[in-house]
Amino acid sequence: MGRWGRQSPVLEPPDPQLQGTPPALPPRTFMRQSSITKIGNMLNTAININGAKKPQSNGEASWCFSQIKGALDDDVTDADIISCVEFNHDGELLATGDKGGRVVIFQRDPASKAANPRRGEYNVYSTFQSHEPEFDYLKSLEIEEKINKIRWLQQKNPVHFLLSTNDKTVKLWKVSERDKSFEGYNTKEENGLIRDPQNVTALRVPSVKQIPLLVEASPRRTFANAHTYHINSISVNSDQETFLSADDLRINLWHLEVVNQSYNIVDIKPTNMEELTEVITAAEFHPTECNVFVYSSSKGTIRLCDMRSAALCDRHSKQFEEPENPTNRSFFSEIISSISDVKLSNSGRYMISRDYLSIKVWDLHMETKPIETYPVHEYLRAKLCSLYENDCIFDKFECCWNGKDSSIMTGSYNNFFRVFDRNSKKDVTLEASRDIIKPKTVLKPRKVCTGGKRKKDEISVDCLDFNKKILHTAWHPEENIIAVAATNNLFIFQDKF
C-alpha cells in the first residue's frame, strides 16, 4: 500500500534511460500519410470571413465557417478518422488524434489573431506518429494504434508537452522548435559519421548555423503495462505533476517523472466477474483542487472522490444520480442512461455529463438532481430499436464547456452539433457540412421534423444519416472558436455578432 493507494507494479522492467530526466530522443522520421497531411501536407481552406453578412442581431452569437482541415475525398480510410480533438490552455495550439495513431497539431495563424475582427484560423504546426499497432502475445490480442485521448500540460517555457494514449499505453511528448544547428565538429563529419582520431590534425571551434524553423516531436516518457482493460480517459492534475488514467474497471494515478509504477486509486472490479454490473466510462481531475476527481459509470452515476480522505477511493465522497422517470422506462433505459463523457467547468463549481439523449449540468454542491437538463436529440427516442440493431445506441458522444462556462456543446448524427446557452436557455442545431465551405458563409440553424408536414428548412428524422456523426468537439478556452471533428475532416467555426 503506497501513499496514494494500492501500488500497480509494471510487469516489465523499465528502461534505465527513462529514469530521471532522459536525453531527448530523435524525432520520428517514418510516418504513414493521413488525409489531413495529404494535398500538400494539408488542405487548408481558410476563408476570409470579414465580409460575412451579419444576420439580424438580437444579442446572440451566430456561427460562421472559418476553415476545414483534411482531404475532401469521399473515399475515407479508417485510419484517417479523427478520434479526439483538444485545444491547449491558451488556445494557440489545437491537437487532433486519429485511428491511425497519428497526432496533428495546428497553430493559430498570427495574422488571423491580429486581424480586426479576430479570425480563428489555424495552420499545421507538427505531425507525428504517436502509437503503432501492437500485439499482446500473452493474451493473443491486437492493440490498436487509435488515439483515444490527448491532454495538454500547461506551458512553462517555449516547449510544449502533451499526453496521448491508445487502449493500453500513455505517452508523454515534447514538442519543440529549433532554428539553429551546430557544424564544424572535431570528432565527427558533417554527415554525422565519427572521425578517426588519427585523422584529426587541427582543432576547430564549432559554429552555429541558422536553419529554417524545424518543429520536433520527441517521446519523453512511456507509461505502459498498468491497464488490463482499455483506457478511456486521461486527465492531468492541477499540480501539473501527476495524471490519472482510467479503464473500464480501474483508475491509476501516475507521476510524470515515474514510468515504472502507478498507484491504483479506484478499483470496481468484483471478485466474481459474473457480478459485474457497471464499468467506468470517463474520469477527470478537478481544475483547481489537486485532491479531487470525478468518474462516471455505465449506470448513469457520477462519483466524486477526495484523495485526502483515503488512499484508495473505492468509497466516494459524493454520488450524483438522477432518479429515473418511470414513464420513460423501457428495455433501452440502462443503455441510454450510460454516461459517455463528463467535464468539470473551468470554475470548478459545475460539471456536465452526456448520456445518449441528453446533456446535464450538475452543481457539485447538489447531488440529488442536475440543475439543468438539455435534450440533444429527443426525436430519436422512438427509434431506439433500430439504433440498437445498428449499434448506434452505443456511440460515445463527448461534450465541452466554453471558456466562461456560459455555454456547452455536444454532437449528434447527420453531422449535426448542438450549442446550448445557459444564460438565455436557448439552443441551436448546426451542421458541419462541406456545402458550407464557401466565403461569407453563416451557419443556418437546422431543425428535425418528427412527423406531419415538413417545412422547407427542416429535415425528416427518417432522412438522418447515422453514419455521419459528431463525436468529438472542442471549444477555445478564451474565444468563441470551436473545432468539430466530422469523420476525417476537422471543421473550425467562429462566432459573428
Side-chain angles (χ1 to χ4, degrees):
M1 178 75 70
R3 176 175 172 237
W4 297 103
R6 289 192 290 265
Q7 186 171 346
S8 301
V10 170
L11 302 180
E12 298 178 2
D15 189 339
Q17 291 185 353
L18 291 176
Q19 303 292 334
T21 304
L25 298 177
R28 304 289 291 268
T29 55
F30 170 78
M31 178 181 58
R32 291 190 297 271
Q33 192 81 344
S34 73
S35 70
I36 287 188
T37 55
K38 290 176 184 175
I39 311 178
N41 280 341
M42 176 56 54
L43 175 63
N44 185 358
T45 313
I47 306 299
N48 186 341
I49 59 176
N50 282 342
K53 294 181 180 180
K54 294 186 179 181
Q56 296 298 320
S57 176
N58 57 359
E60 296 181 26
S62 61
W63 293 93
C64 295
F65 169 77
S66 179
Q67 285 177 300
I68 181 173
K69 306 292 186 180
L72 300 181
D73 303 332
D74 291 328
D75 185 17
V76 179
T77 61
D78 191 59
D80 292 334
I81 297 176
I82 298 174
S83 55
C84 57
V85 183
E86 187 78 9
F87 280 101
N88 73 337
H89 290 83
D90 59 7
E92 290 300 303
L93 298 179
L94 171 63
T96 66
D98 62 25
K99 288 188 175 182
R102 297 172 294 260
V103 172
V104 180
I105 302 175
F106 304 94
Q107 184 182 45
R108 182 82 176 268
D109 186 353
S112 72
K113 187 177 180 180
N116 188 15
R118 300 174 76 169
R119 304 193 306 272
E121 296 175 5
Y122 286 77
N123 300 319
V124 176
Y125 182 63
S126 178
T127 304
F128 59 92
Q129 188 75 30
S130 174
H131 287 73
E132 300 281 358
E134 300 176 34
F135 190 81
D136 188 334
Y137 293 96
L138 189 62
K139 299 180 180 178
S140 297
L141 184 69
E142 291 184 358
I143 302 174
E144 292 183 344
E145 65 270 35
K146 171 193 169 188
I147 307 297
N148 291 338
K149 296 289 181 182
I150 292 175
R151 291 291 181 266
W152 290 92
L153 275 67
Q154 288 189 2
Q155 188 179 8
K156 300 177 181 177
N157 51 49
V159 177
H160 297 275
F161 289 91
L162 64 84
L163 290 169
S164 63
T165 184
N166 65 350
D167 286 340
K168 297 291 184 181
T169 305
V170 184
K171 293 185 179 181
L172 174 66
W173 289 89
K174 172 185 175 182
V175 182
S176 58
E177 296 180 354
R178 184 162 63 91
D179 61 357
K180 296 179 178 65
S181 68
F182 295 91
E183 59 182 19
Y185 288 101
N186 291 284
T187 57
K188 63 180 180 180
E189 304 289 350
E190 299 301 331
N191 59 6
L193 296 177
I194 302 299
R195 270 188 187 178
D196 186 349
Q198 296 179 352
N199 296 333
V200 179
T201 58
L203 291 177
R204 296 184 296 176
V205 178
S207 59
V208 179
K209 179 183 177 182
Q210 200 77 18
I211 61 172
L213 181 65
L214 180 65
V215 180
E216 297 177 323
S218 306
R220 302 297 293 172
R221 302 281 190 278
T222 299
F223 307 91
N225 304 315
H227 284 278
T228 305
Y229 308 97
H230 291 177
I231 298 174
N232 55 49
S233 302
I234 53 175
S235 179
V236 181
N237 200 341
S238 59
D239 61 14
Q240 297 295 302
E241 292 183 357
T242 57
F243 72 94
L244 63 78
S245 58
D247 64 25
D248 293 336
L249 297 178
R250 296 187 178 97
I251 300 177
N252 292 334
L253 181 68
W254 300 83
H255 194 285
L256 287 166
E257 297 293 335
V258 181
V259 299
N260 62 339
Q261 67 178 8
S262 64
Y263 292 99
N264 177 221
I265 54 177
V266 173
D267 188 349
I268 65 170
K269 181 180 179 182
T271 305
N272 182 3
M273 285 297 285
E274 293 182 358
E275 299 174 357
L276 181 66
T277 58
E278 65 177 336
V279 295
I280 298 169
T281 56
E284 187 177 53
F285 266 120
H286 192 278
T288 56
E289 302 293 335
C290 63
N291 50 282
V292 175
F293 68 95
V294 297
Y295 69 93
S296 58
S297 81
S298 58
K299 292 182 72 174
T301 62
I302 305 171
R303 297 179 176 92
L304 183 144
C305 301
D306 191 336
M307 292 188 289
R308 295 173 300 182
S309 61
L312 183 65
C313 299
D314 286 351
R315 293 184 179 180
H316 50 268
S317 301
K318 290 187 176 184
Q319 178 167 303
F320 303 84
E321 184 176 14
E322 183 178 25
E324 183 184 1
N325 186 349
T327 60
N328 291 333
R329 179 70 183 175
S330 70
F331 171 79
F332 307 104
S333 295
E334 290 187 6
I335 301 176
I336 63 175
S337 65
S338 174
I339 295 175
S340 57
D341 194 22
V342 60
K343 293 283 175 61
L344 285 153
S345 65
N346 298 286
S347 66
R349 173 66 186 270
Y350 306 100
M351 64 180 173
I352 50 176
S353 64
R354 173 67 204 268
D355 57 42
Y356 189 69
L357 293 178
S358 65
I359 186 168
K360 299 173 182 177
V361 181
W362 300 81
D363 188 330
L364 294 189
H365 295 177
M366 187 170 71
E367 307 165 48
T368 54
K369 63 179 181 179
I371 58 173
E372 300 163 24
T373 300
Y374 301 98
V376 177
H377 38 220
E378 186 64 25
Y379 46 80
L380 294 181
R381 188 178 291 275
K383 290 188 167 294
L384 292 179
C385 186
S386 59
L387 292 168
Y388 177 80
E389 292 175 353
N390 61 18
D391 286 342
C392 285
I393 199 171
F394 301 106
D395 287 333
K396 307 299 181 184
F397 292 95
E398 296 178 4
C399 53
C400 62
W401 294 90
N402 70 340
K404 297 180 180 178
D405 299 337
S406 60
S407 297
I408 52 181
M409 176 173 60
T410 190
S412 182
Y413 294 103
N414 206 67
N415 277 358
F416 288 170
F417 61 97
R418 305 267 280 144
V419 180
F420 302 91
D421 189 313
R422 298 182 59 213
N423 295 328
S424 65
K425 303 302 179 184
K426 294 184 178 180
D427 60 86
V428 63
T429 301
L430 303 171
E431 182 180 6
S433 169
R434 296 176 184 177
D435 298 334
I436 63 170
I437 55 174
K438 301 171 185 176
K440 306 177 183 179
T441 302
V442 177
L443 273 64
K444 294 181 179 179
R446 302 301 306 270
K447 292 185 178 180
V448 178
C449 173
T450 55
K453 289 187 177 181
R454 182 172 61 88
K455 296 181 181 179
K456 180 180 178 182
D457 296 331
E458 291 183 341
I459 180 172
S460 171
V461 66
D462 297 320
C463 298
L464 296 177
D465 188 344
F466 292 102
N467 293 318
K468 295 180 179 180
K469 59 192 77 171
I470 303 294
L471 300 178
H472 315 288
T473 60
W475 202 311
H476 191 287
E478 299 174 2
E479 300 180 41
N480 274 344
I481 300 172
I482 56 177
V484 175
T487 316
N488 67 317
N489 293 126
L490 179 70
F491 288 83
I492 299 177
F493 304 103
Q494 73 171 74
D495 70 337
K496 291 286 289 182
F497 288 92

